Amino acid sequence: MQKYSVFSLVKNAFSNHENWDLAWKDPTPKKEYDVVIIGGGGHGLATAYYLAKEHNINNVAIIEKGWIGGGNVGRNTTIIRSNYMHDDNALFSEFGMDLWRRMSQDLNYNVMFSPRGIINLAHSDAQMNTYARRGNSMRLNGIDAVLLNREQVREIIPMADFSENVRFPIFGGLMQPSAGTARHDAVAWGYARQADSMGVDIIQNCEVIGFDVSAGKINGVRTSRGDIKAKKIGLCVAGSTNILAEKLNMTLPIETHLLQACVSEPVKPVLDNVVTFGAGHFYISQSDKGEMVMGGDLDGYNSYAQRGNLPTLQHVLTEGIAMMPFLSKLKMLRTWGGIMDMSMDGSPIIDKTHIEGLYLNCGWCYGGFKATPASGWTFAHTIAQDRVHDLNAGYSLNRFNTGHLLDEKGLGTKTWIS
Amino acid sequence: MTQSFRIENGGLINRDKKISFKFNGKNFFGYEGDTLASALIANGVHLIGRSFKYHRPRGFFGAGVDEPYAIVQLYRNGETEPNIKATEQELFQGLEAKSVNCWPSVNFDVGAINNLLKMFLPAGFYYKTFMWPKSFWYKIYEPFIRKAAGLGTASIKHDKERYEHKYEYCDLLITGSGPSGLASAYSAAKNGAKVILAEDKSRFGGTLLTSEVNIGNQSGKEWADSIISELKEMPNVTVKNRSQVFGYYDHNMLVMSERISDHLPKTKKFHPKQRLWYIRAKEVLISSGSIERPIVFGNNDTPGVMLSSAAKEYMKVYGVLVGRKPLVFTNNDSGYETAIEFKKNGIDPIILDTRKEPQSEIIEEAKSMNINIKNSYVVVAAKGYKKVKSADIAKISDDKEELGLIENIDCDCICVSGFWTPTIHLASQSGNKTKFNEDIDAFVPGISKQNEKTLGAANGIYTLEETLKDSFEKGNLLSKKITNNDNKISFPNVVEKKSTVHDKFWCVPLPKGKNYKRFLDFQNDVAVSDIEIALKEGYRSIEHVKRYTTLGMATDQGKTSNLNGLQLVSKIENKVVPSVGHTTFRPPYSPISIGAIVGREVGKHSKPTRKSPMHSWHEKNNAVFVDAGVWLRPRYYKRGNENLFEASKREAKNVRKNVGVCDVTTLGKIDIKGPDAAELLNRVYTNAWLKLPVGKARYGVMLREDGIVMDDGTTTRISENHYHMTTTTAQAANVLSHLEYYLQIVWPELNVNVVSTTEQWAGAAIAGPKSRDVLKKLFPLVDVSNEGLPFMGYVESELFGAKARIFRISFSGELAYEVNVESDNGNFMWEKILEVGEEFEIQPYGTEALSTLRIEMGHVAGSELDGRTIPYDNSLEGLVSKKKDFIGKRSLLREAFTAEDRQKVVGVVPLDKKTSIPEGSHLVKDSKATLPNPKLGYISASCWSVEYDNPFSLAILKDGKNMIGKKLFVMSPLKNKIIPVEIVSSHYVDPKGERVRS
Amino acid sequence: MRSQNEFSYGGDATVKRPELGKEISDQDWDNFVYNRKSLRGKHWELWQHLSGCRQWIKIQRDTATHEIFKTLKANEEIS
């Protein structure tokens, strides 16, 4: 494989950029693989990469209905953090943070991971206490967290509303300095390129039609490009999980919902951090291109449409202006929607299933992008070893039956309420 | 400077009104009716900014919303706005604008070094480098890239402007006032339909303002004027200019932004800057026209290269020449109109037509005017850096692959026409699956998904006659369906000289040995070579191409670049265009001010504020308020220099010693009536309710179906079939909805009605050993003795003439009562309580003292009932009935919920009896353990016990049941605190609950 | 026609609460509390006219296109 570097860039410049290799090939599916990963999103691509890299399983296919990276890895707000309260979430995410920090070098693809810090704003003492509970938990788990008072917040983000004319004044905030953002598409492409170079077949425009299950075992998958045999199949299709589950006669603790996001026109750098509003649901960061990247609430009803309606965005942006009034004068450039696997406690599922050889990776809610490397790593482990790793033991499917729930927000099963 | 490029006469500007403005610090003049762009061109200014990546000089490309180049920083009335398109900004007196993305100036821009390095900066270069050494990305590379980011500068001042929203219904919404919009609006209006006609620009008429056509015995413009003035007079028609319909949402909901004040030096008093219209239309006619497509050639981004339709618009609308030595480069008849307009203004254009032997009326006219026409000719490359100075041109072979001898000819502008691209954004947003029309090499709307039809050029219909005919018909047909009127309009005779014959040609090949940049996306600097690299590297899906190269992702959203990009991909990939497909169109059509989207809900009004009827009393008496959801509640009443801690301690102490009064109006109140009311309560609450006597209150806990505590509160049986339920402030709305859900959906057989009465009653809690004395004074006729009104008793009476409800319930753990009166009497009640209570040293107390009182009594509240705990965790298992079923009971059987070492609420006291325990800290066994240090529980609530005068906290602790008496550490790494503590009972004060019953 | 803002979503309308007081398996209980089909296409669901008449209604809506086909009152059975 070509190594990307400033030298390769210069070298190729002098050959008119005509000698760049394919980042990944476009193979026809083979009849059989050791492992088939369904879903060419961030998690699927990462899983294939770690299967090859960590477990020497190279005879792997990723099958993707559309084009790789076309799902949520390509339509999120690029935030990466591990500021969780529950141990299972925190330790899993922090493991992921470590993978993020090394990702550009590991993949030889600049994913532009940028640890610019995330600040969750608090608007009451009670909220400061709730954040303290989470922040202290993070610190006891070895994750960085700082509790900021009003003045410390003002120093970092003076453009937030510190005026008198404010409905919910800022009391302070919880900051995770090591959190940040990354270039989302690059993550998908970087994993794809390395996975491909290690022998993984990336098969695009290949839709799953059905599964071949007999005597409680998985034997293969039927696709729009023919049947593919595999003794191990990993489902990695957040946003379409319910559709594939139905083909397997499974009903899961997941609902499919729509989350919108938008960007403003690009402006010169004004906001360094990721900031979230505490009196509602709004988050913002500024991309390296200068666009303000903003998001917030779900549209609030089951949906597979990658298009939302304006009232939700209006509501989200109202909170945006409440937090940072200067946003009022910017213009909204692009909006888009992503389809979320909303699990019934807000945390994901990475587990085996009652079907031998079938593995499940789903329920990421809004938090899928940041989990990409850790999800891929643990899912690869679960598939390769046929057992869950300590890191994803908490993400079991039967926790809903046992009551070992991981409810960060305490909202319960009404996933559409945020 | 003089307006040396202004034509002597003509145009639609008001030459009587001269307007002065500033660009990059220099003073200029224009006329009323100019845009910033037309005024600058009139003054010979063509260098406006620099491009995003290579910092190449940028001028004007279009004359409207499709403009990719002419982005400026605008200064208006003491404020500044970034990224304003000069082609859209109307000129006003005192306007100031500056170039963006250049330093130190637009003329000499240091960033232009990127232009020299461009061979090293192909598509996606940043993915391939800036990785070594690792730390450099964070410290050096990224900060550098970030600095280069963005176009204009955002002002971080608060926005002083006002934005409004309007909700409107109509029969027909028509988007665009060109020929199709006017014709359809006119025929629909004549049928009496309620019509809204929206025009993005300041002038109505669309292409009719600039095209050489006749309708009836009028010119196109005259016809447009007459129709518009007639429409304006009709009561069933709303005509709006400066109004862009930018989004087509579900169920025929469209959103329009009306720019009311952007064209004025400042917003008039009481006027909004912009108004957002939510329009629910029965039928939508999309008449948004089309945008001219560029032809791609070498250095086609040089200032002076622009769309031929824009050049014509500058002449005909603004009376401005974009150059004096124009080259018109076209593959269709549109370029001829532009050339003829030049000629009419005394300028000699040269037409390069890619077509070999085109024939039409307009070509004949051009020939008869002696315009120099070169057939089978193309522009190979523009020459000049900051402005076009000449052009390399050549003959092109019939198959359009081979270039002939390169010739260089002088010119100062190149007007390009590569035919037209229908503006299908709204149709596509509506869910319409677009289809590719081979005749016009572009996508057009397919089968309608919602009630939308697309007319005229937006539908790929490029002859005026057909457009008008179709539009009259559709307007008539759709309105007839709604109004049942059928007023036919006689169809006017149309004269048009253009034909629609064009070459399917959009990109000039590179001459041998030349490596000109041929740009597709002018703002993001995406060139043909970038697309080639992306495809070579396997980024083949059109979405991959777009994302890898950033094609079409600039502020013009690819209005002039997307289709050419598609053509290129289809050619290289050897696929037909429709199988390449286009990326999804999403709202907004063009960037929309966030302020307009949000409207009036800003500042203090971003969310409602709810206040109790006693609010102004609290204000007058130095209450410091706290937000409780959307309610404002007194947190404490400040006396002198007291701080929160001192004041709340004083207030709490006074409750324990004398008596206090607390405003509890915010608690949710639900009236429950009906013969099955008791049955409902019995199913909703975990404890038994069927035997509660009239005149008695009971405390209850309700669960969600997953077994988690949802809320708690008391419910009182007012009469046989009438109950009064209270909820926490936070859960009031959810509990009501919860009850309604079960009554309407799950158990419709229950005969019960529920209604919120939170607003109907004002509530005051009177608590403390002397509260009975206060009650006696308030209600001299009521027996409030322990026998007459026992704990959990209820009576109705009058409080100095006001109807009152008296509950003997207690949150503070003291002898306490809650009095409710109708809201209007709330303040009266409050003042009376304080008046009669004075002799018993009554004091008002706020939520902070309330917290202290409940914490030391071990009463759980929101910080324990946090959506993650079950009754057992809160020591409420005694209230869980074993006999009957209730909502969520089945879930309590789950393994984790019945575990031996299940978490439970406990009390926590610091060993030194001095150190306050911060809320949100965690309990650990070993404060020095390596991380991750296992956490046993967390501090949910802390107070300074006024009873024992030492800190006391509640915690939810693993195996809490067996931990009483154990010594642990409280850790708050955030506050750098480690506090040795002892675990005690959560009922720190009066564990037997004797006081409330005293 | 009322604005979307007045309504609040209530989830899958085909999920039936088990009868009170009846023995029920873990699986059936989990199916009621947690497990949802949530498919693409036609979906019967509950909505409440929260900022209005407070009635719960049943709506058949397409989760892919948001098109609404049928509405039922709370007490009407889905056929």
Side-chain angles (χ1 to χ4, degrees), chain B residues 45-85:
Chain B
V45 177
H46 278 268
L47 182 60
I48 301 306
R50 295 282 176 154
S51 70
F52 202 81
K53 186 164 148 193
Y54 303 129
H55 288 247
R56 286 164 70 107
R58 288 291 181 251
F60 301 96
F61 192 69
V65 65
D66 49 324
E67 178 63 36
Y69 287 163
I71 311 288
V72 298
Q73 184 83 23
L74 183 75
Y75 299 82
R76 172 181 175 268
N77 192 26
E79 247 309 349
T80 180
E81 273 185 74
N83 305 352
I84 298 293
K85 288 174 184 141

Side-chain angles (χ1 to χ4, degrees), chain A residues 4-6 9 13-14 16-18 20-24 67-68 74-75 85 87 101-102 104-105 108-110 112-116 125 129 132-133 135-137 139-142 145 147 161 163-168 183 185-186 189 204 265-271 279 286-290 294 306-310 314 317-319 321-322 325-336 400-404 407-412, chain B residues 52 79 82-84 101 119-120 122 125-132 134 137-138 142 146-159 163 165 248-250 255 278 429-430 515 524 533 536-541 543-544 547-548 553-555 557 586-588 591-595 597-598 601-604 606-609 627 629-630 635 704 706 866-868 894-897 919-922 931-933 935 938 971-975:
Chain A
Y4 289 164
S5 70
V6 68
L9 206 59
F14 286 105
N16 220 355
H17 296 290
E18 277 167 13
W20 288 111
D21 285 346
L22 282 175
W24 55 84
W67 37 281
I68 58 165
R75 37 182 85 243
M85 185 177 76
D87 292 349
R101 289 179 200 116
R102 294 187 272 126
S104 292
Q105 287 72 31
N108 179 229
Y109 204 100
N110 192 348
M112 303 178 201
F113 171 63
S114 175
R116 44 193 57 262
D125 279 338
N129 293 336
R133 178 179 168 195
N136 281 322
S137 181
R139 290 281 291 270
L140 289 168
N141 277 325
L147 203 60
D161 199 344
S163 75
E164 288 296 306
N165 184 32
V166 59
R167 179 68 186 85
F168 297 108
R183 174 85 189 101
D185 290 326
W189 299 338
Q204 304 185 76
E265 292 188 330
V267 289
K268 291 290 171 201
V270 52
L271 177 64
Q286 187 172 19
S287 75
D288 282 351
K289 223 187 138 187
M294 301 173 278
Q306 283 175 335
R307 57 195 291 269
N309 281 295
L310 196 60
Q314 179 189 324
L317 293 171
T318 299
E319 296 184 342
I321 292 183
F326 84 97
L327 294 174
S328 175
K329 282 170 291 174
L330 296 184
K331 292 199 274 313
M332 183 176 84
L333 173 64
R334 265 195 317 277
T335 64
W336 67 92
F400 298 94
N401 182 266
T402 60
H404 291 285
D407 193 344
E408 288 280 333
K409 291 182 183 165
L411 288 170
Chain B
F52 202 81
E79 247 309 349
N83 305 352
I84 298 293
N101 213 31
M119 68 185 288
F120 304 115
F125 74 95
Y126 31 76
Y127 299 129
K128 294 173 179 159
T129 181
F130 302 131
M131 289 181 272
W132 299 270
K134 193 174 155 187
W137 168 251
Y138 310 132
E142 196 194 23
R146 250 178 121 71
K147 244 187 214 156
L151 292 166
T153 307
S155 148
I156 62 165
K157 284 198 278 184
H158 293 198
D159 197 347
Y163 304 87
H165 285 183
Y248 199 138
Y249 295 91
D250 290 333
V255 187
Y278 278 94
Q429 287 174 20
S430 81
N515 204 2
N524 273 355
I533 289 175
K536 198 182 299 291
E537 295 193 76
Y539 300 89
R540 287 196 175 125
S541 142
E543 281 284 352
H544 284 159
R547 286 156 184 259
Y548 195 63
M553 293 180 82
T555 61
Q557 292 150 315
R586 296 178 198 287
I592 296 297
S593 141
I594 291 174
I597 294 170
V598 168
E601 292 173 357
V602 294
K604 283 241 187 261
S606 65
K607 281 231 174 88
T609 306
D627 285 301
V630 291
R635 192 173 187 188
R704 308 187 307 219
D706 62 359
D866 68 346
R868 284 172 280 239
R894 288 185 287 175
E895 178 189 304
F897 290 6
E919 287 171 332
S921 308
H922 290 267
L931 302 182
N933 187 348
K935 301 180 293 286
Y938 67 95
M971 286 188 75
S972 173
L974 290 173
K975 293 186 176 156

Side-chain angles (χ1 to χ4, degrees), chain B residues 367-419:
Chain B
K367 281 179 183 162
S368 74
M369 292 171 90
N370 288 324
I371 292 175
N372 183 356
I373 302 169
K374 290 170 172 289
N375 285 322
S376 295
Y377 255 91
V378 296
V379 175
V380 175
K383 299 275 160 172
Y385 181 56
K386 289 177 190 168
K387 180 77 200 288
V388 172
K389 290 202 172 95
S390 68
D392 279 354
I393 65 170
K395 249 199 142 126
I396 192 155
S397 60
D398 291 352
D399 64 1
K400 302 284 194 279
E401 299 288 344
E402 302 296 323
L403 293 174
L405 208 61
I406 307 273
E407 310 157 42
N408 184 271
I409 56 171
D410 276 1
C411 60
D412 62 358
C413 66
I414 302 174
C415 308
V416 194
S417 178
F419 208 55

Side-chain angles (χ1 to χ4, degrees), chain B residues 547-832:
Chain B
R547 286 156 184 259
Y548 195 63
T549 64
T550 73
L551 174 76
M553 293 180 82
T555 61
D556 63 319
Q557 292 150 315
K559 292 190 174 64
T560 53
S561 62
N562 278 343
L563 204 63
N564 281 341
L566 277 183
Q567 296 278 14
L568 180 62
V569 173
S570 77
K571 187 174 171 197
I572 298 174
E573 292 280 284
N574 207 7
K575 283 186 194 163
V576 289
V577 174
S579 77
V580 175
H582 58 74
T583 57
T584 322
F585 291 99
R586 296 178 198 287
Y589 170 66
S590 79
I592 296 297
S593 141
I594 291 174
I597 294 170
V598 168
R600 297 289 291 274
E601 292 173 357
V602 294
K604 283 241 187 261
H605 305 292
S606 65
K607 281 231 174 88
T609 306
R610 296 179 76 179
K611 297 170 182 173
S612 96
M614 289 84 99
H615 187 83
S616 54
W617 189 95
H618 303 322
E619 265 180 334
K620 274 181 242 149
N621 288 275
N622 299 323
V624 176
F625 291 94
V626 60
D627 285 301
V630 291
W631 288 94
L632 281 182
R633 297 189 71 178
R635 192 173 187 188
Y636 63 97
Y637 299 83
K638 194 180 172 107
R639 286 190 182 174
N641 287 327
E642 278 179 339
N643 61 22
L644 166 69
F645 179 69
E646 292 157 353
S648 62
K649 214 160 106 176
R650 165 182 55 75
E651 291 170 8
K653 254 187 184 158
N654 192 56
V655 172
R656 293 267 184 255
K657 192 174 147 219
N658 299 308
V659 57
V661 58
C662 180
D663 185 349
V664 293
T665 303
T666 62
L667 287 186
K669 304 174 202 74
I670 299 171
D671 222 35
I672 303 177
K673 279 183 178 170
D676 295 323
E679 179 61 26
L680 174 71
L681 295 172
N682 208 44
R683 294 179 184 190
V684 167
Y685 282 128
T686 61
N687 48 345
W689 283 80
L690 296 180
K691 289 177 186 156
L692 181 71
V694 172
K696 279 285 187 184
R698 184 166 285 174
Y699 175 73
V701 176
M702 59 178 81
L703 309 185
R704 308 187 307 219
E705 291 285 16
D706 62 359
I708 301 292
V709 177
M710 177 177 179
D711 200 38
D712 68 342
T714 57
T715 293
T716 306
R717 191 166 190 183
I718 304 279
S719 66
E720 182 63 22
N721 291 330
H722 182 190
Y723 292 78
H724 171 81
M725 175 186 274
T726 63
T727 74
T728 60
T729 304
Q731 291 293 331
N734 287 345
V735 171
L736 180 65
S737 224
H738 182 71
L739 298 180
E740 286 165 335
Y741 165 79
Y742 283 95
L743 284 173
Q744 294 178 33
I745 300 289
V746 185
W747 304 312
E749 69 278 8
L750 292 186
N751 189 355
V752 185
N753 269 307
V754 293
V755 66
S756 166
T757 53
T758 305
E759 285 83 359
Q760 275 67 42
W761 298 97
I766 304 168
K770 295 182 187 165
S771 58
R772 185 174 287 128
D773 299 325
V774 176
L775 257 275
K776 276 184 198 157
K777 293 252 170 183
L778 284 174
F779 304 102
L781 301 178
V782 180
D783 177 7
V784 294
S785 69
N786 205 19
E787 295 71 38
L789 182 55
F791 181 54
M792 288 305 206
Y794 167 77
V795 286
E796 287 170 18
S797 183
E798 283 194 351
L799 185 144
F800 300 99
K803 190 168 102 183
R805 291 174 164 183
I806 310 162
F807 306 83
R808 188 171 162 194
I809 52 178
S810 176
F811 189 52
S812 57
E814 292 298 327
L815 169 68
Y817 302 87
E818 195 182 310
V819 182
N820 283 5
V821 295
E822 285 162 330
S823 289
D824 288 351
N825 299 325
N827 202 54
F828 170 76
M829 165 184 71
W830 187 262
E831 287 183 347
K832 276 289 168 200

Side-chain angles (χ1 to χ4, degrees), chain B residues 311-480:
Chain B
K312 185 176 66 172
E313 188 169 335
Y314 285 118
M315 285 186 276
K316 293 200 74 163
V317 174
Y318 303 102
V320 167
L321 291 173
V322 299
R324 294 190 198 285
K325 277 187 284 179
L327 206 56
V328 176
F329 177 29
T330 187
N331 69 3
N332 69 94
D333 279 3
S334 300
Y336 287 78
E337 282 194 341
T338 306
I340 288 169
E341 195 58 33
F342 271 116
K343 187 79 183 179
K344 281 183 183 166
N345 284 295
I347 305 283
D348 276 323
I350 300 170
I351 296 178
L352 305 188
D353 192 332
T354 64
R355 296 173 294 180
K356 200 176 176 188
E357 290 162 338
Q359 282 176 351
S360 73
E361 223 174 301
I362 201 163
I363 295 172
E364 289 311 309
E365 185 180 338
K367 281 179 183 162
S368 74
M369 292 171 90
N370 288 324
I371 292 175
N372 183 356
I373 302 169
K374 290 170 172 289
N375 285 322
S376 295
Y377 255 91
V378 296
V379 175
V380 175
K383 299 275 160 172
Y385 181 56
K386 289 177 190 168
K387 180 77 200 288
V388 172
K389 290 202 172 95
S390 68
D392 279 354
I393 65 170
K395 249 199 142 126
I396 192 155
S397 60
D398 291 352
D399 64 1
K400 302 284 194 279
E401 299 288 344
E402 302 296 323
L403 293 174
L405 208 61
I406 307 273
E407 310 157 42
N408 184 271
I409 56 171
D410 276 1
C411 60
D412 62 358
C413 66
I414 302 174
C415 308
V416 194
S417 178
F419 208 55
W420 297 84
T421 308
T423 305
I424 57 171
H425 299 64
L426 285 177
S428 172
Q429 287 174 20
S430 81
N432 187 309
K433 286 261 177 288
T434 58
K435 61 183 187 203
F436 192 72
N437 182 337
E438 294 281 348
D439 293 340
I440 61 165
D441 313 309
F443 287 93
V444 293
I447 298 161
S448 295
K449 191 93 200 170
Q450 304 197 36
N451 294 347
E452 100 288 351
K453 298 265 179 309
T454 306
L455 304 173
N459 198 24
I461 300 172
Y462 289 126
T463 63
L464 183 61
E465 179 154 8
E466 209 184 325
T467 291
L468 288 178
K469 213 171 188 168
D470 184 47
S471 305
F472 274 122
E473 225 174 79
K474 293 264 165 54
N476 178 55
L477 218 70
L478 293 174
S479 54
K480 191 168 77 182

